Every structure is written in C-alpha cells, then in structure tokens.
Amino acid sequence: AMLEKVADKLGGAVGASRAAVDAGMVPNELQVGQTGKVVAPELYVAVGISGAIQHLSGMKDSKTIVAINKDAEAPIFQVADYGLVEDLFKAIPELESKL
C-alpha cells in the first residue's frame, strides 16, 4: 500500500523483484526481470531492490533510474542515475509526504 500511494502520485505503477513474489508480498504478474516483465519507463524508482542481474535485465532500458536501498554496496547503485542510501520504511513515507 505504501508504494502504491507513491506510484499513484507519480502517475506510475508498481513492479516487484522475484524475491518479493517468492515471499508472497505481491502477485507474480508484477515481477520485473528475466523471468518477469521487461519495462522501460521514463522514470524507474527501485525501492529496496538489490540489483540482481536477473532484475536488471527487466528494467535496464529505463530512461532515469532512481535507487533507494539501505545497503550502500547494492549493485543497483551501479546502474542508477540517482541513489539514496536509506531504509525504505523511512524514505518512502517521507517521499510521499513531499509529493
């Protein structure tokens, strides 16, 4: 629900990693990556995405990539245009309040 609110305010949609699908957090049809959908939006906000190569293959052609992850060493930051090292449970509510 937290991510859906931000996506709605940005006029976007929510996708997910295989880990989120496997954990039962989201349905399979939201999976982005090698075994999911390939997307290339103007803006891709990777929230809590580590940046496994399988996920990157599904979103690497996005025009602008923003990454939010508490792990400063997460591979997603290597492909991101902008990055924020922060816990998503702190960053997303703050982002939503500013939109």
Side-chain angles (χ1 to χ4, degrees):
M2 175 173 64
L3 291 176
E4 284 86 354
K5 289 177 187 175
V6 171
D8 286 346
K9 287 183 175 186
L10 292 172
V14 173
S17 66
R18 180 167 183 166
V21 171
D22 288 351
M25 297 167 69
V26 293
N28 190 288
E29 56 267 15
L30 293 183
Q31 183 176 330
V32 171
Q34 196 170 24
T35 55
K37 295 180 180 178
V38 173
V39 297
E42 289 292 310
L43 174 63
Y44 187 91
V45 182
V47 179
I49 297 291
S50 66
I53 191 71
Q54 294 86 350
H55 187 82
L56 296 179
S57 70
M59 48 66 74
K60 68 182 182 317
D61 292 328
S62 301
K63 184 167 180 170
T64 302
I65 299 170
V66 176
I68 301 171
N69 195 304
K70 65 183 176 184
D71 177 6
E73 302 299 314
I76 191 71
F77 289 119
Q78 295 174 7
V79 298
D81 297 292
Y82 302 95
L84 173 63
V85 178
E86 183 60 80
D87 186 282
L88 69 94
F89 294 104
K90 181 172 185 254
I92 295 304
E94 192 171 327
L95 174 62
E96 184 193 353
S97 75
K98 304 283 190 228
L99 294 174

